[in-house]
Amino acid sequence: MIEIIKKTNIDFMGKRFIAFAVSGAFSILGILAIIAVVRGTANLGIDFAGGTAVQVKFDQPVTLHDVRKALDAGGLVGADLQEFPAVKKVLVVIKKTSPATHDTNAASTTAGVSDKVIESLTKGLRDKKLTVDSVSEIGPKVGSRLRTDAMWAIIASVVGILIYVGWRFQFSFSIGATFATFHDVLAVLGIFYVLGYEINLILLTALLTIAGYSLTDTVVVFDRIRENLRAMIKEPVTKVINRSINEVLSRTLVTSLTVFIASLALYFFGGEVLHDFALAMALGVIIGTYSSVFVASPVVLLWVGDKQLVKK
Amino acid sequence: MKKSVKWRFLLIGLALLLTITALLPNMPFYKDLPPAIKKLSPEKGIILGLDLQGGLYLVFEVEGQKAVAQTTKRISQGIQKLIDNKNLHADVKFDGKNITVSPASPELRKAIENGYPNLSVTDSGTSIVYSLSEKESKSIRDNACEQALETIRNRIDQFGVAEPVIQRQGESEIVVQLPGVKEPKRAIELIGKTAQLEFKLVDDDSPLAAELPAHIKSFEEDETMAKFKDKIAGDNEILFERITNKETGEVTKKPILLKKDSLMTGDYISEARVQIDTRFNSPYVSLNFNSDGAKLFEEITGKYVKKRLAIILDGNVYSAPVIQEKISGGNAQISGSYSMEEAKDLAIVLRAGALPAPVNMLQNITVGPSLGSDSIAAGKLTAIAAFIMVAGFMAIYYKLSGLIADLALVLNIMFLLGAMAALNATLTMPGIAGIVLAIGMAVDTNVLMFERMRDELKAGKTPRASVDSGYDKAFLTIVDSHVTTLITAAVLYQFGTGPIKGFAVTLSIGIAINLFTSLIGTKAVFDFINAEREVQKLSI
């Protein structure tokens, strides 16, 4: 029998205050990121901020310098460029807030900016043939609606979690699960924000997936706690929780490992579209595993104090 | 073999059969199959999303408020007539939203409110301010959206796109999905054109007309307008004609002074088609009016012989020929400097009719066909890589039991694809991500069970007892974790848009199927192994 870990007896609950400090720092980072998103100072993708993204493929290698020169000549100063040299592709992003769109009078739509980009590139790089891979134009109205939708999605999932976990276990477990789930989403968002990665719809998909995954992890631990509470009715709650986490530890690690492996596959083979998604997932798995051990149950403990946890 | 095991294998076999049938349309040999078999499978199988096959995803907003304004304008004209007919002295002003009547006698007020019951009074004193009631204007906006949907559908049908999706979204939006379109720009222009055709008289008699410059560059348009803004009389307006130089291809604009009121609109068109002027070998659009239109056109051309009549589409002058004689027979031509394709599109929009209100493009996602196929390749590679890595890990870590889990994994993926085909679901890039995640969940289910079984074995139970109690104990946990994820997926589906929805669909189908394969599928295999004789050692 191959085992990642043998039977353990780690005092997880004893370390809960160190964990609270670490998690607190992550959560604050995430809250800062949310504030930045709301204020519009974060690096928002065009799906949230509105704007235009054009991905073009050239038949010969181009330098970003030449691309920028061509765009500048076409009056598109200040576009964000991203290069995929291996496939000779360049992504041109012009956000609604960038100076490049200030001279256009399109107040509510971004229509036409992509034409301008393609025209400038065709003119400025005459010796190279380009094919347009994709164009995305998103009006600010759509962007702000997507942001609102996202907010509602988060609120709705929290309510869903609270109700289901509250019904299956009890209210204090709901609180623990909600805290742990939020913690993971905040941490990943915070890390992306600090590293300057783009906050876009794909990241949102990843965050909500992480939330679901982290919740699964937490629920598995809670299930074991509930089971052990009945068996160890005389023992202090701290001991029951510790033992439960130790018992499911190998399952937690194995599962996290497999999901981590799947995320790695996404990261390396998923192409540029899924790159950020996979990165967020990989981070989320690590943080989610940590939180199901060090955040969820300690919060339950904190909430109930030392009272009995057995459901009548 | 135990009876229940037999039944479970039968169930799995049946599911497998359904899956294969559902997936038939996606197989390369599907078209060679006899019709009797084709009938059994769903019509299309799994549909690839626009991000995978290339195409256009557009969201338009119908400016319903403009349709409301138009109706209100007509009412204000009606009120003016009513006042004139009754010989009352009152002023009617329309500011684009409200109609102000001043001074308003009770008699006039009664007459207006009898004639236009849908008006609501927002302010009364010496003057009365009327506007359309909220209910009425909502129904106008609603109608405008429905009509726009119909018109756009009509235009796309004539443009010729295989399997377009045209849907209303929310109160005022229209989503258009055009898979595999090769000329995205042309399609966007065709859909977005309001196509409001108007005939207006050119005011060559006004001294101002002589002052207008003959040709200006495109970017000088605003300048020219600003220069003449204060000089134009109330019933005049300046519009521009676009002129392309045939040799140099340079585009210039020509300002034309017009009478503001349109003599006739495109509502009377019964037919529009492209014809070729053999002298210049240039295309023009030939129009046929219905009988009312023919009568009206004859009247207009008779009244204004030797004057110039401008043909205007969406505020741009197409041509302004001199009327040589009264034109009967209900036929007119729109010539101008445009290419064959432009002429074709013009004919399409004129045939399909005008949009009841202008539309705004809110969102445009265009994916080229080459990126689409790149994405498919990347998606396949990802799925295969993830599968091999995870399956390999399971086989090494849990040995024979791991292989059983891998078998369940294969079934899982097949069932998932089959279910998507049966539901005619659309597979998108985020959808593939959802599948990869569902694979992760499926593995988790088996890990949960196997860890329990190991615990039981360590506690000294026999293999058969370990399998049974491992399943029993893991069952609740599995249900709990799946339901919570399902809740998240449902929320994503409900509140998410586009890519998120695709992700949620595959994830929730994947989870539901996983419950089936893990709780029925693998257990059946274990029971089968344990059924014949007591296995001494469980390979786990």
Side-chain angles (χ1 to χ4, degrees), chain B residues 59-65 67 139-157 165-169 171-176 190-195 349 352-360:
Chain B
V59 180
F60 290 95
E61 179 191 38
V62 181
E63 289 184 54
Q65 209 45 53
S139 110
I140 290 174
R141 287 198 304 266
D142 214 47
N143 261 329
C145 197
E146 275 306 313
Q147 264 183 57
L149 189 76
E150 212 38 60
T151 309
I152 288 174
R153 185 169 290 148
N154 227 321
R155 288 180 187 178
I156 289 168
D157 281 350
V165 177
I166 303 148
Q167 289 167 325
R168 204 173 149 175
Q169 174 180 289
E171 226 170 61
S172 62
E173 282 165 27
I174 294 174
V175 177
V176 180
L190 186 80
I191 298 167
K193 242 187 208 130
T194 312
V349 295
L355 294 180
V359 293
N360 247 335

Side-chain angles (χ1 to χ4, degrees), chain A residues 2-4 109 133-137 139 141 145-146 164 168 208-209 216 223-224 227 250-251 255, chain B residues 61 173 361-364 366 368 370 396-397 437 444 451-452 454 458 477 480-481 485 492 497 503:
Chain A
I2 309 172
E3 281 176 286
I4 288 184
T109 59
D133 254 354
S134 69
V135 170
S136 316
E137 291 181 318
K141 213 172 171 179
R145 191 178 57 212
L146 287 176
Y164 185 78
R168 291 286 298 137
L208 287 158
T209 312
T216 308
D223 259 333
R224 188 61 70 104
E227 189 184 321
S250 75
R251 169 265 155 200
T255 308
Chain B
E61 179 191 38
E173 282 165 27
M361 191 164 71
L362 296 183
Q363 194 174 352
N364 161 19
T366 307
S370 68
I396 293 168
Y397 194 73
L437 194 79
D444 183 42
E451 289 296 320
R452 281 285 190 172
R454 281 182 168 186
K458 274 185 201 157
T477 313
D480 277 341
S481 66
T485 309
L492 282 181
T497 11
F503 175 81

Side-chain angles (χ1 to χ4, degrees), chain B residues 274-287:
Chain B
V274 180
Q275 292 190 321
I276 305 286
D277 184 330
T278 44
R279 278 172 307 166
F280 306 110
N281 196 26
S282 60
Y284 68 90
V285 176
S286 149
L287 297 180

Side-chain angles (χ1 to χ4, degrees), chain A residues 1-7 55 57 87 89 105 108-112 114-115 119 131-142 145-146 149-150 152-154 156-157 160-161 164-165 168-169 201-202 204-205 208-209 211-213 215-217 219-221 223-224 226-227 247 250-252 254-255 257-259 261-267 269-274 277 281, chain B residues 51 59 61 169 172-173 185 188-189 222 360-372 374-375 377-379 381-383 385-387 389-390 393-399 429-430 432-434 436-437 439-441 443-445 447-448 451-452 454-455 457-458 473-474 476-485 487-488 491-492 495-500 503 507 537 540:
Chain A
M1 197 187 297
I2 309 172
E3 281 176 286
I4 288 184
I5 45 161
K6 297 278 177 210
K7 204 167 160 45
Q55 184 176 303
K57 187 176 181 171
V87 281
K89 285 181 185 176
N105 51 6
S108 62
T109 59
T110 24
S114 65
D115 290 343
E119 206 185 289
T131 18
V132 179
D133 254 354
S134 69
V135 170
S136 316
E137 291 181 318
I138 293 168
K141 213 172 171 179
V142 173
R145 191 178 57 212
L146 287 176
D149 280 358
W152 280 113
I154 290 164
S157 28
I161 296 166
Y164 185 78
V165 177
R168 291 286 298 137
F169 301 88
L201 214 54
I202 297 276
L204 181 74
T205 314
L208 287 158
T209 312
Y213 171 74
L215 198 59
T216 308
D217 238 15
V219 165
V220 169
V221 176
D223 259 333
R224 188 61 70 104
R226 182 174 53 184
E227 189 184 321
E247 277 176 6
S250 75
R251 169 265 155 200
T252 306
V254 171
T255 308
L257 201 66
T258 49
V259 177
I261 290 171
S263 307
L264 280 190
L266 273 183
Y267 184 82
F269 305 110
E272 61 258 23
V273 185
L274 290 181
F277 178 89
M281 276 304 295
Chain B
D51 51 349
V59 180
E61 179 191 38
Q169 174 180 289
S172 62
E173 282 165 27
K185 205 179 156 190
I188 291 169
E189 272 170 18
D222 293 340
N360 247 335
M361 191 164 71
L362 296 183
Q363 194 174 352
N364 161 19
I365 312 279
T366 307
V367 178
S370 68
L371 179 67
D374 284 358
S375 301
L381 188 64
T382 308
F387 178 78
M389 285 157 85
V390 172
F393 174 82
M394 291 295 282
I396 293 168
Y397 194 73
Y398 292 114
K399 296 183 208 144
M429 205 61 197
I432 293 178
V436 173
L437 194 79
I439 294 177
M441 291 281 298
V443 175
D444 183 42
T445 310
V447 173
L448 274 168
E451 289 296 320
R452 281 285 190 172
R454 281 182 168 186
D455 286 350
L457 284 170
K458 274 185 201 157
K473 285 186 172 168
L476 269 186
T477 313
I478 290 165
V479 170
D480 277 341
S481 66
H482 277 62
V483 171
T484 41
T485 309
I487 289 174
T488 325
V491 169
L492 282 181
F495 293 92
T497 11
I500 294 190
F503 175 81
L507 184 60
K537 203 171 168 298
I540 192 164

Side-chain angles (χ1 to χ4, degrees), chain B residues 42 78 91 119 173 196 209 258 269 303 323 359 362 430 437 481 486 495 503 507 528:
Chain B
D91 259 351
L119 289 179
E173 282 165 27
Q196 191 67 54
L258 303 162
I269 294 171
K303 193 169 163 192
I323 303 167
V359 293
L362 296 183
L437 194 79
S481 66
L486 208 57
F495 293 92
F503 175 81
L507 184 60
F528 175 70

